[in-house]
Amino acid sequence: MLQQTASKRQKVALASAADTTALSALVKAHEAGLADYVLFGQEREIASVAEAAGLKIDRKAIREVKGEKEACGAAVEAVRKGEADTLMKGRVYTRVYLRAVLDREKGLRGRGLMSHVFIWEVLHMGRLIFVSDAALNMYPDVEQKAAIVENAVKAAKAFGLAEPKVALLAAVENVNPKMPATIDAAIITQMARRKQVAQGAIVDGPLALDNALSEEAARVKGIESPVAGRADVLVVPDINCGNMLAKAYPFLVPGGEMAGILVGAAKPVIITSRADSEKSKLYSIAAAAFVWRAGA
Amino acid sequence: MLQQTASKRQKVALASAADTTALSALVKAHEAGLADYVLFGQEREIASVAEAAGLKIDRKAIREVKGEKEACGAAVEAVRKGEADTLMKGRVYTRVYLRAVLDREKGLRGRGLMSHVFIWEVLHMGRLIFVSDAALNMYPDVEQKAAIVENAVKAAKAFGLAEPKVALLAAVENVNPKMPATIDAAIITQMARRKQVAQGAIVDGPLALDNALSEEAARVKGIESPVAGRADVLVVPDINCGNMLAKAYPFLVPGGEMAGILVGAAKPVIITSRADSEKSKLYSIAAAAFVWRAGA
């Protein structure tokens, strides 16, 4: 994921920058020629975190702001005004960070729904898998799910996938009127066939995870689908499913790393969890660079 | 998982036995001294599947029954009457199999709720993880979730865990009145503290998957919990979450295998998916042996 982004350099605004793993990831991204940075927070705190982690930071890149909420506001403003390209989360609660991003006047809202995409780099499959929405929209209705599909397809295309294959996940692959996730999947599949959503992508569901990822599982179950076994994008029924599924990857696969970005915002926004590794945050910076370059 | 079960031999009734992977797993379990078997279905079909797979089967163990539904009924009856110990699913749709199991008069219902438990053998963590309910109960209410916790704890104890740690999963670890999964988790945690459910287990939630499995993730997020980072049992909000989470393991982890059993039935019942591997079915037979020996 890292190599291909070095050609063009985004400037990342780190909100509440006194965060060891975020700062360290950003400094490493800078050293790899992947990003410039501007750091929002208290200089003394940022310098102390950097020193403790053995990081060489450019003191001139620090913008002195007191308070986490204020640091988020200032970083968002810098991105909105074009002084930086990408927003990144430092040591601040997600809800505080998102409040600044989602502010109707001073935030980074785009034209439509904003949604979150996790990106797994599944090494043994040799492919990227995009999971959405596992972090922002809690219980999306059909219309919101359609927007989530659109945004995830944009993200996948930003990574160079010409015609992303989207699996609308449920617990089963049959449409069961008692299971709303299967009904929504059927509706959105048909909307896609009518070219109402996700043009330039192939959408199918409901699919269960096994037949979305494994051609063998799809074959055994007799599922005929252009997506089954070859899904690039996994769209989940709600935030509980998505969060568990997305997090399963880095915690179950030794060395498995994932990136997290917002799509549908006016500018690329990185949301990582406080518990994410430095490598995961570095991957998220790289992912944001793809989205930024593609203008998605 | 396999070694420890060889001491005592269960007899497995395979319903609709002309299934390559199920039959092969059962014959291998037999050769490993893990199980005896009785096969329900059409002798000609079973023999032909066995021959194609190069399996040596005992023809005298075949009970000639025409039709998948009828084979399920006859296998269930054999287990109910004590002619076999454990029921196993062959080449038949889950719903047809379950209909025979759940039949109020002729089935294998226990006293309370029946629920399904997936068991991951997570090699890099050196431990077993029990995930429930990912296959049977679709949208359990609080009372049903409490029964699911009870059943999963029984299963974990059957595997020798003295005091299983149960994480009630959600997308977040804070109680959010807008997110029902977090409310149910809070309720059941308090019920457990009042010794209303799952005595002999430690129950805590809501927890997100990362802080349920990783002590480091729990530490970074400042979560104080006797379960965080050390969960043995993961109880999911609904079947969509559970199914995706459980299946993520074998499909994302190369060589990752899982077993699947019903708990709360009158006798051990194995439910595997048609797409599961032979090894996964063999593990399920071993899991059923644990449950059978413990009388759980």
Side-chain angles (χ1 to χ4, degrees):
Chain A
M1 222 191 258
L2 297 181
Q3 274 74 22
Q4 300 163 57
T5 51
S7 56
K8 215 174 154 189
R9 221 178 236 225
Q10 63 181 334
K11 187 179 254 184
V12 176
L14 182 57
S16 200
D19 177 283
T20 307
T21 51
L23 195 58
S24 171
L26 191 49
V27 168
K28 286 189 182 154
H30 177 67
E31 289 166 357
L34 189 62
D36 292 324
Y37 57 79
V38 47
L39 310 172
F40 294 82
Q42 290 191 264
E43 179 163 10
R44 204 176 41 79
E45 281 182 18
I46 297 170
S48 139
V49 163
E51 199 188 324
L55 299 170
K56 263 186 67 180
I57 58 164
D58 177 6
R59 290 271 190 137
K60 293 194 300 291
I62 299 176
R63 301 284 169 273
E64 179 75 19
V65 192
K66 278 196 172 54
E68 296 175 7
K69 190 183 139 194
E70 292 72 15
C72 290
V76 164
E77 192 185 357
V79 174
R80 206 181 58 246
K81 290 187 174 168
E83 294 159 23
D85 305 302
T86 295
L87 183 72
M88 181 170 179
K89 177 172 166 284
R91 196 188 61 192
V92 54
Y93 283 104
T94 301
R95 62 175 179 278
V96 175
Y97 181 74
L98 274 180
R99 207 170 293 139
V101 171
L102 296 174
D103 188 284
R104 294 208 174 262
E105 283 171 25
K106 300 179 189 168
L108 290 171
R109 282 180 184 269
R111 275 178 230 165
L113 184 88
M114 250 185 258
S115 55
H116 187 273
V117 179
F118 275 117
I119 306 163
W120 298 337
E121 187 170 31
V122 187
L123 297 175
H124 81 277
M125 292 184 183
R127 69 200 216 214
L128 297 177
I129 302 278
F130 300 77
V131 183
S132 190
D133 184 338
L136 189 60
N137 296 287
M138 293 201 292
Y139 307 102
D141 59 23
V142 171
E143 207 165 342
Q144 290 166 325
K145 277 183 190 170
I148 286 167
V149 170
E150 290 278 5
N151 283 348
V153 166
K154 263 184 210 162
K157 288 191 169 188
F159 278 76
L161 279 76
E163 194 177 44
K165 295 183 186 67
V166 182
L168 306 166
L169 292 185
V172 293
E173 53 282 341
N174 292 323
V175 179
N176 180 342
K178 287 181 191 154
M179 302 179 81
T182 69
I183 297 173
D184 289 358
I187 295 168
I188 293 172
T189 299
Q190 193 61 5
M191 287 170 76
R193 291 184 63 209
R194 291 284 182 269
K195 300 187 172 49
Q196 291 172 261
V197 287
Q199 292 195 41
I202 306 175
V203 179
D204 200 16
L207 289 169
L209 185 73
D210 53 353
N211 30 79
L213 293 182
S214 154
E215 292 194 50
E216 171 66 11
R219 193 191 57 73
V220 170
K221 290 206 170 174
I223 296 165
E224 284 172 29
S225 157
V227 172
R230 292 175 287 165
D232 305 301
V233 177
L234 305 175
V235 173
V236 297
D238 65 36
I239 197 169
N240 291 314
C241 295
N243 200 274
M244 286 169 212
L245 177 62
K247 284 178 176 168
Y249 182 66
F251 285 92
L252 290 180
V253 180
E257 295 291 344
M258 69 175 176
I261 45 165
L262 269 192
V263 190
K267 296 289 180 72
V269 174
I270 299 170
I271 307 189
T272 45
S273 165
R274 280 164 293 154
D276 285 347
S277 69
E278 178 195 308
K279 206 167 168 190
S280 161
K281 290 179 185 180
L282 182 54
Y283 275 49
S284 296
I285 296 168
F290 276 103
V291 172
W292 169 63
R293 283 200 303 176
Chain B
M1 219 190 263
L2 298 180
Q3 273 75 21
Q4 300 163 55
T5 52
S7 56
K8 216 173 153 189
R9 220 178 238 228
Q10 64 182 331
K11 184 179 255 185
V12 176
L14 182 57
S16 200
D19 177 282
T20 306
T21 52
L23 195 58
S24 171
L26 191 49
V27 169
K28 285 187 184 157
H30 178 68
E31 289 165 357
L34 188 63
D36 293 324
Y37 57 80
V38 47
L39 308 172
F40 292 83
Q42 291 191 264
E43 180 165 8
R44 202 175 42 78
E45 280 182 18
I46 297 169
S48 139
V49 163
E51 200 188 322
L55 300 170
K56 263 185 68 178
I57 58 165
D58 177 6
R59 291 272 189 137
K60 293 195 300 293
I62 298 177
R63 301 286 170 271
E64 178 76 19
V65 192
K66 277 196 172 52
E68 296 175 8
K69 190 182 139 194
E70 291 74 13
C72 290
V76 165
E77 192 186 357
V79 174
R80 205 180 59 246
K81 291 187 174 168
E83 294 159 20
D85 305 301
T86 295
L87 183 72
M88 181 172 180
K89 177 173 166 284
R91 195 186 62 190
V92 55
Y93 284 104
T94 301
R95 63 175 178 276
V96 175
Y97 181 75
L98 276 179
R99 206 169 294 142
V101 172
L102 297 174
D103 188 286
R104 295 210 173 261
E105 285 172 23
K106 302 180 188 165
L108 292 171
R109 283 181 183 269
R111 274 178 233 164
L113 184 87
M114 250 185 256
S115 55
H116 187 273
V117 180
F118 275 116
I119 306 160
W120 299 337
E121 188 169 33
V122 187
L123 297 174
H124 81 277
M125 292 185 184
R127 70 200 216 214
L128 296 178
I129 302 279
F130 300 77
V131 182
S132 191
D133 183 337
L136 189 60
N137 296 286
M138 293 201 292
Y139 307 102
D141 59 23
V142 171
E143 208 165 340
Q144 289 166 326
K145 278 183 190 170
I148 286 167
V149 169
E150 290 280 4
N151 283 348
V153 165
K154 263 184 211 164
K157 289 192 169 188
F159 279 76
L161 278 75
E163 194 179 42
K165 295 183 186 68
V166 181
L168 306 166
L169 292 186
V172 294
E173 52 282 341
N174 292 322
V175 179
N176 180 343
K178 287 181 190 154
M179 301 179 81
T182 69
I183 297 173
D184 289 359
I187 296 169
I188 293 172
T189 299
Q190 194 59 7
M191 286 171 76
R193 291 184 64 207
R194 290 286 182 267
K195 300 187 172 50
Q196 293 173 260
V197 287
Q199 292 195 42
I202 306 175
V203 178
D204 199 15
L207 289 169
L209 185 73
D210 52 354
N211 30 81
L213 293 182
S214 155
E215 291 194 52
E216 170 66 10
R219 194 192 56 72
V220 169
K221 291 207 168 171
I223 297 165
E224 284 172 30
S225 157
V227 172
R230 291 176 288 166
D232 304 302
V233 177
L234 305 175
V235 173
V236 296
D238 65 38
I239 197 170
N240 291 315
C241 295
N243 199 272
M244 285 169 213
L245 176 62
K247 284 180 176 167
Y249 182 64
F251 285 93
L252 290 180
V253 180
E257 296 290 343
M258 69 175 177
I261 45 166
L262 269 193
V263 190
K267 297 289 181 72
V269 174
I270 299 170
I271 307 190
T272 46
S273 165
R274 280 165 292 153
D276 284 347
S277 69
E278 178 195 308
K279 206 168 167 189
S280 162
K281 291 179 184 179
L282 182 55
Y283 274 50
S284 297
I285 296 168
F290 277 102
V291 171
W292 170 63
R293 284 199 304 176

